[in-house]
Amino acid sequence: MTIDFGSIKGYKPDRGFGFVGHTFFNPDGKVFFHIKTIRRKHPELAQKLDSGEAFETVNFWYEIETTEKGEQVSKLWLNANHIPQSYKNELCGLIQKVESIWKNIGSPKPSWLDLVTRELVGVARRDELSVERDNLESQLRAAEEERRREAEEKRRREAEEERRRKAEEERRRKARIELLLLLKDLRPLKFKYSNQLSAYIVKNQLGYRYPNISGILRMQNEDTAWDFKGAFHKDVYKIICQELGLKNQGTSAIATDFESFQEISSRNQE
């Protein structure tokens, strides 16, 4: 046996039959009923339908019987309280379906849910289920908002990382160009030693012309440290010496830190 709930979808008074909709089983389907089935227990309802009154708001519980011609209503009840206890198992199944629908916040709440729930389990339980659904929906909204914020933060970090990557690529490109221009300027000077190069850099403030490969170099000699402004990065200085074939006359001072003029300028603009 199958019990369902539905509203009348169509009725022909002159022929005495109509169709009632499904709620739990095949929601888009309809079940045939004959007026004599209604008249047997509910003559007032039968008279209302035969009089031609609007039937769209009429709903009831019914038992489905499968015949050679298809499904049809074999019994009906106007209220769930009128359904005999012999249908206890079927009612328990419907109650489980109703409660699962309340908890299924992934789907819209059906328009019939409040009415059917009240009839099956009462107003108090309907209110409890409504509160539970509200709480679940609030938790879902909070989780979705958290995921949205995390996704937004991820996009922001990725965009920032991409910006930094492109900025670094551009800095390196400019640094290569500056190094080539610097070597072009230095080759005709025919220096033999690295200290000649250093003296020339300081005297002519050469570093200030190439902001991507020159800047402030932190030097240290034993316990003494100082900043060499307008100096080239130690790796750049090494490349220059190698390209020019300069000999190193030796020094105990070492470079410990470096920041280019371009980096300093960019930081000050942020």
Side-chain angles (χ1 to χ4, degrees):
M1 292 182 298
T2 301
I3 293 178
D4 207 339
F5 175 86
S7 58
I8 295 179
K9 301 300 182 183
Y11 179 66
K12 297 181 180 297
D14 56 331
R15 304 185 65 182
F17 72 83
F19 294 90
V20 61
H22 279 292
T23 292
F24 297 100
F25 309 98
N26 186 19
D28 296 327
K30 294 182 290 187
V31 181
F32 173 89
F33 73 86
H34 198 281
I35 193 63
K36 65 182 181 181
T37 305
I38 297 178
R39 188 177 292 119
R40 188 181 306 127
K41 290 286 186 71
H42 308 285
E44 300 86 355
L45 176 57
Q47 183 178 0
K48 178 180 178 180
L49 293 175
D50 285 334
S51 67
E53 291 187 35
F55 55 76
E56 290 82 3
T57 59
V58 177
N59 51 61
F60 51 77
W61 297 85
Y62 59 90
E63 179 186 275
I64 303 172
E65 178 185 19
T66 303
T67 68
E68 293 180 356
K69 295 182 179 180
E71 293 184 338
Q72 69 176 22
V73 174
S74 59
K75 297 179 183 179
L76 66 97
W77 306 272
L78 299 184
N79 190 291
N81 293 332
H82 298 156
I83 301 175
Q85 281 300 306
S86 57
Y87 294 90
K88 181 178 179 180
N89 290 338
E90 288 77 10
L91 287 172
C92 287
L94 295 182
I95 290 171
Q96 289 177 355
K97 284 180 178 291
V98 164
E99 297 210 352
S100 67
I101 291 171
W102 277 103
K103 296 173 183 177
N104 182 16
I105 58 176
S107 298
K109 177 184 169 185
S111 59
W112 51 263
L113 189 58
D114 283 295
L115 171 61
V116 171
T117 305
R118 285 199 306 270
E119 294 216 355
L120 285 175
V121 295
V123 174
R125 180 56 181 154
R126 189 285 311 271
D127 292 344
E128 290 177 357
L129 290 168
S130 181
V131 170
E132 289 178 14
R133 184 180 180 91
D134 289 343
N135 290 337
L136 289 172
E137 289 176 340
S138 295
Q139 293 171 15
L140 177 63
R141 287 193 296 270
E144 289 175 344
E145 177 62 20
E146 180 63 22
R147 287 194 292 270
R148 186 195 65 77
R149 285 197 298 266
E150 289 176 354
E152 187 175 295
E153 177 62 19
K154 181 181 179 182
R155 289 192 295 270
R156 188 196 65 77
R157 290 196 302 266
E158 289 175 346
E160 179 63 18
E161 183 62 28
E162 179 67 9
R163 184 192 68 78
R164 290 177 180 175
R165 184 188 65 79
K166 290 183 177 180
E168 178 61 17
E169 287 182 353
E170 180 63 11
R171 187 197 66 79
R172 291 180 179 179
R173 184 188 70 82
K174 291 180 178 179
R176 288 192 293 270
I177 293 174
E178 289 182 2
L179 177 58
L180 292 175
L181 293 174
L182 176 60
L183 288 171
K184 182 180 179 181
D185 291 339
L186 292 175
R187 290 185 195 280
L189 301 179
K190 305 297 183 180
F191 293 136
K192 292 184 178 181
Y193 300 102
S194 60
N195 63 342
Q196 292 176 311
L197 172 63
S198 297
Y200 182 81
I201 290 172
V202 173
K203 179 180 179 181
N204 295 277
Q205 295 186 330
L206 201 60
Y208 292 95
R209 303 179 192 175
Y210 306 94
N212 287 282
I213 58 176
S214 64
I216 299 176
L217 184 67
R218 187 72 171 173
M219 300 294 294
Q220 185 169 347
N221 189 358
E222 296 182 350
D223 296 332
T224 303
W226 67 96
D227 289 335
F228 182 1
K229 295 182 179 180
F232 291 98
H233 188 282
K234 62 179 181 179
D235 293 337
V236 172
Y237 190 83
K238 182 179 180 180
I239 291 173
I240 295 172
C241 290
Q242 290 174 343
E243 289 293 322
L244 298 180
L246 303 181
K247 296 179 180 179
N248 186 358
Q249 291 183 324
T251 177
S252 58
I254 59 173
T256 60
D257 196 12
F258 176 82
E259 188 173 24
S260 71
F261 288 134
Q262 182 59 47
E263 290 172 330
I264 296 171
S265 176
S266 298
R267 188 182 69 246
N268 292 336
Q269 291 174 5
E270 292 179 352

